[in-house]
């Protein structure tokens, strides 16, 4: 687009600069961003018009994305319900075979998340996301026909590969549409599909259990087949609903597209952010300290989340209830978690802060796990599951949104969030081996302190009793250490950048050009980390 911009627009660093300096550098070409060169100038919208525009986007994107993720979480977690419907008996899943089957899903799931995000823009979200949904739906359906343990493990591996691109892909996709302080609510709505999946899983499993014996298949087979076919239908429908990027969204007017792109362009930086790919984006991501701190925070929430989602039916069954009642009793904790998740997401976006809600989630998990470890009445234990489910599920969107808010540049954000989610999900692999049959109903693992020698046990590679006393609490403890450290580091860096800007303004000097600020991304002095 043959247009210009004034350096004075580049942010507080140029503000109040000397007139002579401003005249010399006042005109510079605008870097085309997100297809804006094909669109008219962005309109001025009042608050009501902005709400109407993003409500329009919400109605187009969020229902289908939420439904896709509901299917994803339903399909990866329904093995917990299938376990109660004869899976372990018919496939002879003795010892730690069941836990290994769970673990093998996470290995390819974690490894393929980063590559999947790298190809998302190339293969177009409207084709890539529905395509992988269709693929894992077929795989899920075929899982209902497995006859042996090796077949189960093989299909779980394929399921992990197929599902790997959905969650990081959708989170990255949403950051292309929404400003960073509107993103947690959208991630919360999207991730609410996972919370609802926990509730639906119990209800569906209860209903499907009456099909046991139909066509010579047990109840666990029909759980996989019916829920897999549901995913196939959702994947097929999503091809006709999902759109690619704001500048190609036909359901928006050209002016609305221009506004969305303009809002995103100056959301993370006063001079816009880089959109093109360079190899340095990968290097800058893997050398960024905040990525690794957020991985620890992610694992502190995801391990409790997967631990409770994969084993909640078995935990409740261990309270002494029948299989059918256990399936039904998994529903209320997820309903409570969904309500909590939405309240926290709205609140977090409104105050533009993430960490208090992450800490609140960790606190819920801490109290819930302590209750379930202690020798207390069944009612108290069931109440503890409410806290664990709500804390892990409601705290999770804030964890993901927090890092996404603090990475600038399309590709750095895409790579960073894929690493964040990919490496962090190894916590799910560990969680798959925490709740062993021989430890029911209290599931206290061992009595000695945790050591590195326990890692093979946690990954399901040996039957030897692990040396740990509440591994889930260990992960929660990691979060209570990592979150304050990250907050203090962000505050220190923000204060330092404020001082740099103030000094530059007082001296009337321009330290960086808009191009240099764009290139620096989240390390630019005009970028402020979200707390």
């Amino acid at each position: 687009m043959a247009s210009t911009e004034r350096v004075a627009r580049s942010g507080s660093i140029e503000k109040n600069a000397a007139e002579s300096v401003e005249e010399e550098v006042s005109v510079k070409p605008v870097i085309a961003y997100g297809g804006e060169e094909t669109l008219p100038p962005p309109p001025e919208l009042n608050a009501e018009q902005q709400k109407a525009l993003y409500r329009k986007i919400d109605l187009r994107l969020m229902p289908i994305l939420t439904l896709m993720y509901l299917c994803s979480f339903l399909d990866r977690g329904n093995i917990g319900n299938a376990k109660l419907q004869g899976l372990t008996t018919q496939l002879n899943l003795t010892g730690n075979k069941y836990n290994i089957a769970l673990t093998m899903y996470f290995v390819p799931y974690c490894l393929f998340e980063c590559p999947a995000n790298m190809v998302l823009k190339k293969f177009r979200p409207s084709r890539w996301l529905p395509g992988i949904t269709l693929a894992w739906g077929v795989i899920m359906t075929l899982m209902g026909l497995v006859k042996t343990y090796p077949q189960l493990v093989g299909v779980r591996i394929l399921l992990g590969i197929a599902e790997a691109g959905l969650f990081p892909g959708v989170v990255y996709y949403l950051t292309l549409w929404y400003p960073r302080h509107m993103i947690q609510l959208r991630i919360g709505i999207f991730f609410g599909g996972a919370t609802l999946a926990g509730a639906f899983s119990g209800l569906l499993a209860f209903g499907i259990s009456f099909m046991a014996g139909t066509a010579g298949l047990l109840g666990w087979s029909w759980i996989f087949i019916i829920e897999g076919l549901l995913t196939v239908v959702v994947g097929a429908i999503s091809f006709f609903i999902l759109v690619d990027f704001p500048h190609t969204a036909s359901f928006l007017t050209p002016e609305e597209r221009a506004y969305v792109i303009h809002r995103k362009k100056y959301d993370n930086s006063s001079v816009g952010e880089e959109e093109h790919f360079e190899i340095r984006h990968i290097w800058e991501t893997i050398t960024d300290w905040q990525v690794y701190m957020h991985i620890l925070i992610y694992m502190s929430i995801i391990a409790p989340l997967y631990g409770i989602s994969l084993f909640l039916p078995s935990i409740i069954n261990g309270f002494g209830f029948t299989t059918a009642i256990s399936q039904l009793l998994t529903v209320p904790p997820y309903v409570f978690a969904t309500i909590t998740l939405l309240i926290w997401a709205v609140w977090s976006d409104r105050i533009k802060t993430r960490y208090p809600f992450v800490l609140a989630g960790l606190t819920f998990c801490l109290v819930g796990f302590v209750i379930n470890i202690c020798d207390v009445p069944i009612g108290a234990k069931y109440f503890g599951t409410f806290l664990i489910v709500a804390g892990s599920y409601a705290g999770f969107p804030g964890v993901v949104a927090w890092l996404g808010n603090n990475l600038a540049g399309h590709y750095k954000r895409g790579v960073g969030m894929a690493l964040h989610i990919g490496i962090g999900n190894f916590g799910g692999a560990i969680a798959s081996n925490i709740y062993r049959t021989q430890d029911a109903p209290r599931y206290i693992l061992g009595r000695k302190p945790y050591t590195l020698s326990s890692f093979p046990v946690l990954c399901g590679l040996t039957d030897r009793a692990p040396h740990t006393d509440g591994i889930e609490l260990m992960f929660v403890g990691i979060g209570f250490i990592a979150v304050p450290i990250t907050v203090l580091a962000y505050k220190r860096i923000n204060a330092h950048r404020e001082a740099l800007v103030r000094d530059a303004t007082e001296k009337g000097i321009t330290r960086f050009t808009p191009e240099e600020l764009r290139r620096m991304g989240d390390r630019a002095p005009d970028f402020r980390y979200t707390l």
Side-chain angles (χ1 to χ4, degrees):
M1 179 174 63
S3 59
T4 62
E5 70 172 353
R6 296 180 63 83
V7 166
R9 188 184 184 181
S10 68
S12 57
I13 289 191
E14 280 80 20
K15 192 176 181 180
N16 296 329
E19 288 293 326
S20 59
V21 176
E22 186 181 47
E23 289 173 0
E24 290 179 13
V25 296
S26 60
V27 179
K28 288 188 179 290
V30 173
I31 304 299
Y33 176 91
E36 68 176 346
E37 68 276 7
T38 65
L39 299 172
E44 293 287 339
L45 300 182
N46 59 36
E48 285 302 316
Q49 291 171 324
Q50 292 177 36
K51 288 182 179 179
L53 172 57
Y54 284 104
R55 192 180 304 118
K56 186 177 181 180
I57 296 172
D58 288 340
L59 290 174
R60 181 57 181 263
L61 301 184
M62 298 313 302
I64 189 63
L65 292 175
T66 301
L67 192 57
M68 291 164 74
Y69 196 60
L70 185 151
C71 290
S72 172
F73 223 83
L74 196 66
D75 291 344
R76 81 183 65 170
N78 58 13
I79 192 171
N81 302 101
K83 181 184 178 184
L84 297 185
Q85 297 294 337
L87 173 70
T88 54
T89 303
Q90 187 170 12
L91 298 188
N92 193 30
L93 302 185
T94 57
N96 62 349
K97 288 182 178 179
Y98 175 75
N99 298 89
I100 291 176
L102 297 182
T103 305
M104 295 311 296
Y105 165 87
F106 288 100
V107 175
Y109 183 81
C110 297
L111 294 177
F112 281 88
E113 283 187 315
C114 190
N117 249 25
M118 294 293 290
V119 303
L120 175 69
K121 293 188 74 173
K122 181 176 179 61
F123 287 99
R124 298 172 51 194
S126 66
R127 295 294 174 263
W128 175 254
L129 297 176
I132 61 177
T133 303
L134 200 62
W136 93 65
V138 172
I139 293 168
M140 188 75 251
T141 304
L142 295 176
M143 192 180 296
L145 304 178
V146 301
K147 301 299 182 184
T148 66
Y149 167 65
Q151 290 176 357
L152 177 66
V153 171
V155 178
R156 290 287 295 181
I157 290 173
L158 293 177
L159 185 67
I161 294 173
E163 286 196 13
L166 184 73
F167 184 72
V170 170
V171 172
Y172 172 51
Y173 175 65
L174 291 176
T175 66
L176 303 178
W177 286 85
Y178 296 97
R180 61 175 173 166
H181 292 131
M182 293 175 64
I183 199 69
Q184 182 167 336
L185 176 58
R186 275 69 190 184
I187 293 177
I189 294 171
F190 161 65
F191 190 72
T195 319
L196 290 175
F200 281 130
S201 185
L203 289 174
L204 285 172
F206 174 75
I208 295 171
S209 66
F210 295 104
M211 293 184 64
T214 305
L217 299 175
L218 294 183
W220 68 267
S221 290
W222 285 112
I223 288 175
F224 291 152
I225 292 171
I226 291 177
E227 294 181 5
L229 289 174
L230 173 64
T231 301
V232 170
V233 172
V234 170
I237 293 173
S238 62
F239 274 107
F240 301 97
I241 299 177
L242 210 58
V243 297
D244 287 318
F245 307 106
H247 71 280
T248 60
S250 59
F251 72 97
L252 299 177
T253 66
E255 290 74 20
E256 288 173 333
R257 286 178 245 165
Y259 180 85
V260 172
I261 292 171
H262 180 80
R263 181 87 180 267
K264 272 302 303 175
K265 180 176 181 178
Y266 296 104
D267 178 39
N268 284 358
S269 171
S270 55
V271 295
E273 60 177 358
E274 285 190 317
E275 187 188 19
H276 65 281
F277 174 73
E278 295 180 20
I279 293 295
R280 67 178 175 84
H281 293 141
I282 298 177
W283 176 250
E284 288 175 356
T285 304
I286 63 178
T287 57
D288 194 334
W289 67 272
Q290 62 172 325
V291 172
Y292 299 99
M293 291 303 298
H294 278 278
I295 286 173
L296 292 177
I297 297 170
Y298 187 100
M299 294 182 76
S300 73
I301 286 286
I302 203 68
L305 189 152
Y306 275 120
I308 200 68
S309 65
L310 291 171
F311 294 96
L312 184 59
S314 297
I315 293 171
I316 294 178
N317 187 239
F319 294 165
F321 297 105
T322 64
T323 297
I325 297 299
S326 297
Q327 302 282 24
L328 289 176
L329 286 177
T330 63
V331 177
Y334 286 106
V335 174
F336 174 64
T338 303
I339 296 170
T340 306
L341 182 152
L342 293 175
I343 292 173
W344 287 6
V346 172
W347 194 356
S348 177
D349 274 349
R350 183 165 298 171
I351 66 175
K352 300 179 180 180
T353 307
R354 309 299 182 207
Y355 80 88
F357 302 95
V358 179
L359 286 176
L362 290 169
T363 302
F364 272 38
C365 290
L366 173 65
V367 176
F369 282 124
V370 169
I371 290 174
N372 274 273
I373 284 178
C374 295
D375 189 10
V376 296
I378 296 302
K381 286 181 176 290
Y382 186 53
F383 171 72
T385 65
F386 275 73
L387 295 179
I388 298 168
V389 175
S392 56
Y393 277 82
F396 185 76
V399 172
V400 178
W402 196 7
L403 180 62
N405 289 168
N406 290 330
L407 293 174
H410 278 207
Y411 280 94
K412 182 177 181 182
R413 189 183 306 117
V415 174
M417 298 188 78
L419 287 175
H420 181 218
I421 297 168
I423 298 175
N425 270 328
F426 277 106
I430 296 175
S432 300
N433 297 279
I434 290 175
Y435 295 93
R436 305 177 308 161
T437 303
Q438 62 265 39
D439 298 318
R442 291 174 64 192
Y443 295 101
I444 300 177
L445 298 183
R447 294 292 179 185
K448 299 181 181 180
Y450 176 75
T451 67
L452 290 176
S453 63
S454 306
F455 188 77
V457 183
L458 303 183
C459 293
L461 303 179
T462 175
D463 284 320
R464 182 172 57 83
H467 302 301
T468 180
D469 189 4
I471 297 170
E472 295 282 27
L473 287 174
M474 177 196 73
F475 279 103
V476 173
I478 290 173
F480 277 117
I481 295 172
V483 170
I485 291 175
T486 305
V487 171
L488 290 174
Y490 279 153
K491 286 185 175 181
R492 185 172 179 272
I493 294 171
N494 284 348
H496 177 67
R497 290 177 180 176
E498 288 286 355
L500 286 178
V501 170
R502 188 165 53 250
D503 181 63
T505 301
E506 291 173 354
K507 294 180 179 178
I509 61 175
T510 302
R511 293 183 180 274
F512 303 102
T513 65
E515 289 75 14
E516 289 173 330
L517 291 172
R518 253 189 300 269
R519 189 174 179 84
M520 294 167 71
D522 52 75
R523 299 183 182 183
D526 70 333
F527 184 92
R528 297 294 177 270
Y529 288 118
T530 297
L531 298 179

